[in-house]
Amino acid sequence: MKKQVAVLALVGVVGAAALAGCGASANNSNASGSSSPTKPAITIGYVPGDSTDPFFISMEYGAQKEAKKLGVKLIWEGASQYSPSQQTPVVDSLVSRGVSALVVAPTDAKAMIPPIRNAVNSGIPVITADSTIDQTSLLTARVTSNNIQGGEAAAKILAKLIHYKGTVAVLSPAPGISTDAARVQGFEQQIKTYPGIKFVGIQYDQEQNTKAATLAQDLILRYPNLNGIFGTDDTSASGAAVGVRSAGKLGQVKIVGYDAEPQEIQDIQSGLISAVIAQKPMIEGELAVQYAVEAAEHKHNIPKFTELQNIIIDKNNLSQNQQWVYRTTP
């Protein structure tokens, strides 16, 4: 009888232990099941127009800042030159690596359509920053400056500087860049409203300071009464300044530029350039990363088109606008 009681007691103990073990296992299973799944890691690929321009370095600063704030990985990769032939392989590489979303500053409105279409067909949402492509239906969002307004502002400043009479010209890097084309459009629209000003057209410097300088000298020879030049980017403006100085026309030919690159700011301080239309590349970078992350998270309320207003900087207000001068390090 004692043996039977002892056996029954042992069975009870073993059974209780087994039940406790099952209970613990069940509890662990429930705890695991009730925990929220790990949020997928997000990687944003970002392809600037090139890797050395202070405009894009400033954009990188804003993009990195926003990526850190949102806790995502940012791959910033750009070609050494502003050209679609160099930019395309960078875009293709990021697509092949399966980034969550892609930001591109297209170097040509037409030539960059195929690599961007390939990204979209691969299931990667694409946002353009600064410049864009002609086929905007491919894009999740666009972030840029108000380039038409910037061109109009440049025309107003230049017209005032030359007392609303005389001859003016435009220097621009190349046809096919959406931002520069919009600036020229805004400038032409506005400058033609002044009957005393003759607009003699556009010359392309292929984003080379030396060529811009030569073109400015050629314009002065062709039009001895040339009064003003609008440079639609930093190379065009600073190159024109060199050409005007070499031709001995400093002060006679007024120059209005675009962007707030360090060289342009030096040219303002020395009197070679009268004013610049400054963009906000840091904010463009921040917004582009924000929209890219939202696209990777499949959110649907992303603004399709965001346009930032420009800042006019001249010698009188330079000290108050230092925050808009472009950076040389990210």
Side-chain angles (χ1 to χ4, degrees):
M1 185 67 181
K2 289 180 180 179
K3 289 181 180 180
Q4 290 177 345
V5 171
V7 170
L8 289 172
L10 180 60
V11 170
V13 169
V14 172
L19 287 172
C22 290
S25 175
N27 288 338
N28 287 340
S29 176
N30 288 340
S32 174
S34 63
S35 64
S36 58
T38 303
K39 186 178 180 180
I42 291 176
T43 300
I44 305 301
Y46 206 125
V47 185
D50 67 54
S51 58
T52 59
D53 191 314
F55 175 85
F56 292 114
I57 292 173
S58 301
M59 186 180 285
E60 180 183 2
Y61 175 81
Q64 295 284 9
K65 181 180 176 183
E66 186 69 12
K68 184 177 180 180
K69 173 185 169 184
L70 298 177
V72 300
K73 181 180 179 180
L74 179 69
I75 302 175
W76 180 278
E77 289 187 5
S80 59
Q81 294 182 358
Y82 192 98
S83 78
S85 63
Q86 290 202 21
Q87 190 178 48
T88 295
V90 181
V91 173
D92 290 343
S93 173
L94 288 168
V95 171
S96 68
R97 286 145 72 180
V99 294
S100 310
L102 188 62
V103 181
V104 183
T107 50
D108 189 279
K110 290 183 171 58
M112 291 308 298
I113 292 175
I116 287 176
R117 183 189 294 118
N118 176 51
V120 174
N121 289 343
S122 301
I124 299 173
V126 178
I127 290 88
T128 57
D130 183 41
S131 51
T132 191
I133 54 174
D134 287 345
Q135 200 169 332
T136 56
S137 59
L138 289 170
L139 306 174
T140 297
R142 290 184 288 150
V143 184
T144 188
S145 297
N146 189 336
N147 291 287
I148 291 179
Q149 175 267 330
E152 291 174 349
K156 291 176 182 178
I157 296 166
L158 194 55
K160 184 177 181 179
L161 288 168
I162 65 174
H163 307 292
Y164 303 98
K165 59 182 179 181
T167 302
V168 300
V170 169
L171 292 184
S172 192
I177 302 172
S178 64
T179 47
D180 291 335
R183 294 165 197 169
V184 171
Q185 179 185 342
F187 182 85
E188 283 192 80
Q189 288 174 179
Q190 185 63 35
I191 208 72
K192 289 178 179 177
T193 65
Y194 307 113
I197 296 178
K198 180 182 179 182
F199 175 51
V200 295
I202 309 161
Q203 300 288 321
Y204 295 105
D205 55 49
Q206 306 305 316
E207 207 172 5
Q208 297 175 17
N209 287 81
T210 52
K211 188 166 185 178
T214 301
L215 288 172
Q217 291 175 308
D218 291 344
L219 284 166
I220 290 169
L221 288 172
R222 198 182 316 165
Y223 306 100
N225 294 320
L226 185 72
N227 301 98
I229 295 174
F230 169 44
T232 67
D233 83 337
D234 62 301
T235 52
S236 300
S238 290
V242 172
V244 168
R245 182 174 56 190
S246 299
K249 296 291 185 178
L250 185 61
Q252 179 180 324
V253 180
K254 305 295 185 181
I255 299 172
V256 174
Y258 219 95
D259 292 313
E261 306 266 356
Q263 183 59 55
E264 290 175 292
I265 298 304
Q266 289 181 28
D267 290 340
I268 286 177
Q269 292 170 324
S270 63
L272 293 172
I273 293 178
S274 297
V276 293
I277 312 300
Q279 302 182 80
K280 301 174 181 175
M282 289 176 283
I283 297 178
E284 286 187 37
E286 289 175 6
L287 290 174
V289 168
Q290 177 189 325
Y291 298 160
V293 171
E294 290 176 356
E297 294 174 338
H298 308 292
K299 294 182 179 178
H300 302 291
N301 59 343
I302 304 169
K304 192 71 176 175
F305 181 53
T306 302
E307 199 170 50
L308 303 175
Q309 295 303 303
N310 303 289
I311 304 293
I312 298 169
I313 298 178
D314 58 22
K315 200 169 186 176
N316 294 325
N317 68 10
L318 177 57
S319 60
Q320 300 101 283
N321 287 295
Q322 286 296 315
Q323 72 270 33
W324 305 118
V325 175
Y326 301 171
R327 301 173 62 91
T328 55
T329 56

